[in-house]
Amino acid sequence: MHRTILFICICAGCLTLAGCALTSRDMRAEQRLHETEIGQPTFFVDYAGFDLPGDSLARLEIYYQVFNFGLQFDKKDGEFVAEFVFTVRVLSTDNEQVKTAEQERIVRVSDYESTQSRFDYRTSQINVELPPGKYTLETTLRDVGSAQIHNREFRVNLNGHDGKDASCSDILFVQQAQSRSADSGIFDKGNLTIVPSVSRFFGGDDSTRLIYYFELYRGVDTTEKVYIETILRSPFRGMLYRDTLWMELTEPVSRQIRDIALADYLPGDYNLEIYIRGRRAKRLDSRNESFTIQWSQEALLRHDFSAAVDQLAFIANSGELSDMKKLESMEEKIQAFNAFWEERDPTPGTKENEAKREFYRRVTYANHQFRHLRREGWRTDRGRIYVQFGEPDQIDDHPISPDYFPYQIWHYYREGKYRRFTFVDQNEDGDYRLQYPYDGLNQRPDF
């Protein structure tokens, strides 16, 4: 079988297609990036399971985080108001509905800029009690103003903890933890208030430490100390952190809030592993969850200065980059980068530089979404265009076609000149390459 690779050419303002026959390779559909998966999500969802001591049920906690930019705001009485409904459906392995829950929320902000923010969000939580077992979790966000609906689906294994050995709950990644106040709230756990980090993004300007929470359950026959082994592992660099702690479980439930400093770790994806071990290091239980350290100027200057400069090439002029490459001391590098971003700060004098934060948000997203093998996502063609121009206004995604290689067309038209970028997965391995014209200009919309 043969496939055709698309070449999009501009000749006297006309759009033409030329074909070149190439041999197809085995398709890897699991690597295809579909339209709804490109761009920062409107909302994040996460979950964790915990035991209910003395009960045959377990508590499944569903966390969600909704961003302002994904909601439609209307101006009312001098402020901007949006409303959304978040719904959870729990299905059995036979696809029968077991539980359903719903929350309605109203969001109010004072200015139009806040309605478009990709950093302003609302976090909440829904709890359901279920017998331990396997479930499908369907979550739906409905924006009341626009009537748009967004869905997420997960496979959940809700563990039981009534065995003879000590065991561990799921891991909850934490945005903020503090002592519980007099008033109870949805984020309370014992004497703590735990606000979840639903996106599992750490580092950057938001957090310099990885904070996580889990619970230890004593078990029926646990009469001796156990030790908890914690490992931080990179998929590409192996184990980077390990600690162990001996504990005597004197209570049915022992709540653990832990943190790890992130200053010494490169941005990227990591796994957090927790092992509960007994006598002779016998493994009694374990948990393994992933999280992301965000890309930031500070981390790059410390660990990979050349990459930091290469990223700025997307928006800097050649003279700026040439001067930066000559810098040697860390102090000089920090001063140069700060000056670079101060010149591009849309709101000088305020605490936050929105342009800088948005730039590294895009780098984080590109690296997380467009990585190909060992090539970082922001270095790929789609990653570069995403960092330069942000979310496409429209995406035509063609992952499977009898006549052409998989390809995507990204359209930008809401701000500035119309641009269209075409990416082709010629090797059918998930590596979409940008086709000419590389600047996306001088093309007619095909919609």
Side-chain angles (χ1 to χ4, degrees):
M1 183 179 73
H2 290 77
R3 296 283 179 85
T4 300
I5 183 169
L6 293 179
F7 292 96
I8 295 185
C9 308
I10 298 296
C11 179
C14 297
L15 178 66
T16 63
L17 296 179
C20 176
L22 297 172
T23 303
S24 172
R25 297 187 180 183
D26 292 339
M27 300 195 65
R28 300 179 64 183
E30 70 277 9
Q31 291 191 14
R32 302 286 174 248
L33 196 63
H34 298 289
E35 179 175 348
T36 56
E37 297 174 330
I38 298 179
Q40 180 182 338
T42 300
F43 75 116
F44 286 101
V45 180
D46 200 3
Y47 63 89
F50 298 91
D51 191 34
L52 293 172
D55 201 323
S56 60
L57 300 177
R59 183 177 71 254
L60 178 63
E61 299 183 352
I62 302 101
Y63 321 111
Y64 64 94
Q65 186 179 81
V66 180
F67 289 83
N68 285 4
F69 79 90
L71 303 173
Q72 178 175 303
F73 285 81
D74 297 317
K75 193 169 185 179
K76 297 179 181 179
D77 300 325
E79 61 181 0
F80 294 86
V81 181
E83 183 178 356
F84 67 85
V85 179
F86 183 78
T87 305
V88 173
R89 293 178 68 232
V90 182
L91 306 178
S92 68
T93 53
D94 298 327
N95 211 34
E96 294 183 358
Q97 182 169 299
V98 178
K99 291 271 188 176
T100 184
E102 185 175 275
Q103 286 184 351
E104 298 181 15
R105 291 288 184 267
I106 295 177
V107 182
R108 292 183 170 87
V109 296
S110 60
D111 56 85
Y112 174 77
E113 289 71 22
S114 296
T115 70
Q116 305 300 304
S117 174
R118 295 183 180 275
F119 304 101
D120 191 2
Y121 54 81
R122 303 297 182 274
T123 302
S124 194
Q125 174 177 326
I126 290 178
N127 298 339
V128 292
E129 297 183 359
L130 299 162
K134 295 182 178 181
Y135 299 93
T136 296
L137 185 64
E138 294 181 348
T139 63
T140 301
L141 174 70
R142 179 171 63 88
D143 177 31
V144 175
S146 66
Q148 287 190 337
I149 295 176
H150 308 272
N151 300 299
R152 300 281 190 277
E153 182 176 303
F154 306 89
R155 297 288 186 269
V156 175
N157 185 14
L158 190 58
N159 294 289
H161 299 277
D162 56 356
K164 65 177 184 178
D165 293 325
S167 59
C168 178
S169 74
D170 289 340
I171 300 171
L172 167 58
F173 291 95
V174 177
Q175 175 184 319
Q176 183 181 4
Q178 61 186 30
S179 298
R180 178 177 175 177
S181 63
D183 299 326
S184 61
I186 58 174
F187 300 127
D188 291 343
K189 288 181 174 55
N191 62 347
L192 298 172
T193 296
I194 306 291
V195 181
S197 174
V198 188
S199 67
R200 301 189 181 188
F201 286 164
F202 295 89
D205 295 328
D206 298 324
S207 172
T208 59
R209 306 188 74 82
L210 169 68
I211 308 175
Y212 57 100
Y213 170 88
F214 61 96
E215 295 179 356
L216 295 172
Y217 307 113
R218 185 172 56 187
V220 176
D221 295 340
T222 301
T223 58
E224 58 186 29
K225 290 183 178 180
V226 298
Y227 78 83
I228 299 95
E229 180 183 31
T230 303
I231 291 175
L232 209 59
R233 196 184 305 273
S234 164
F236 302 104
R237 295 182 295 277
M239 185 173 68
L240 302 174
Y241 172 93
R242 178 178 180 269
D243 71 38
T244 58
L245 174 68
W246 284 97
M247 286 192 62
E248 186 173 355
L249 303 181
T250 59
E251 301 293 333
V253 180
S254 175
R255 295 182 172 87
Q256 303 292 306
I257 185 80
R258 305 282 186 84
D259 67 286
I260 300 173
L262 299 177
D264 294 331
Y265 300 103
L266 284 166
D269 296 332
Y270 291 84
N271 290 326
L272 175 65
E273 304 170 9
I274 297 177
Y275 300 92
I276 312 302
R277 300 187 184 276
R279 180 182 297 180
R280 296 178 181 174
K282 176 186 176 182
R283 183 190 299 186
L284 306 178
D285 203 358
S286 65
R287 294 292 179 269
N288 184 344
E289 296 290 346
S290 61
F291 69 96
T292 299
I293 298 178
Q294 300 182 85
W295 290 74
S296 67
Q297 171 186 304
E298 291 72 18
L300 286 171
L301 290 180
R302 186 181 304 112
H303 298 293
D304 195 342
F305 180 66
S306 62
V309 175
D310 289 345
Q311 288 176 1
L312 293 192
F314 296 153
I315 59 174
N317 59 58
S318 58
E320 290 175 310
L321 295 180
S322 178
D323 293 338
M324 284 185 179
K325 291 178 180 179
K326 299 175 183 177
L327 300 176
E328 295 183 359
S329 72
M330 182 58 68
E331 183 179 357
E332 290 176 327
K333 295 174 182 178
I334 292 174
Q335 289 177 352
F337 268 72
N338 288 342
F340 175 90
W341 284 112
E342 285 174 4
E343 292 180 0
R344 291 162 172 79
D345 189 352
T347 56
T350 61
K351 181 179 180 180
E352 184 173 58
N353 186 327
E354 294 83 358
K356 175 182 175 182
R357 185 170 187 179
E358 171 64 10
F359 180 82
Y360 287 109
R361 180 197 70 80
R362 293 180 185 181
V363 172
T364 294
Y365 178 86
N367 196 62
H368 193 260
Q369 193 74 19
F370 303 125
R371 175 185 290 276
H372 182 253
L373 302 178
R374 288 186 174 272
R375 183 152 47 107
E376 295 161 325
W378 64 270
R379 296 185 186 272
T380 65
D381 287 354
R382 286 185 301 175
R384 176 174 62 82
I385 296 303
Y386 182 85
V387 172
Q388 285 183 277
F389 301 103
E391 270 76 12
D393 296 311
Q394 179 178 322
I395 299 170
D396 302 328
D397 187 17
H398 302 273
I400 301 176
S401 173
D403 301 317
Y404 302 111
F405 285 99
Y407 69 97
Q408 293 179 348
I409 302 176
W410 293 13
H411 304 268
Y412 293 86
Y413 48 76
R414 294 182 186 176
E415 297 182 6
K417 299 178 181 179
Y418 171 75
R419 295 177 186 264
R420 184 176 69 216
F421 299 96
T422 300
F423 307 90
V424 178
D425 183 9
Q426 180 177 339
N427 296 320
E428 297 192 85
D429 61 353
D431 185 19
Y432 284 75
R433 296 297 181 92
L434 180 62
Q435 308 299 300
Y436 181 85
Y438 305 118
D439 60 5
L441 292 173
N442 302 318
Q443 301 183 85
R444 291 180 179 179
D446 55 359
F447 53 85

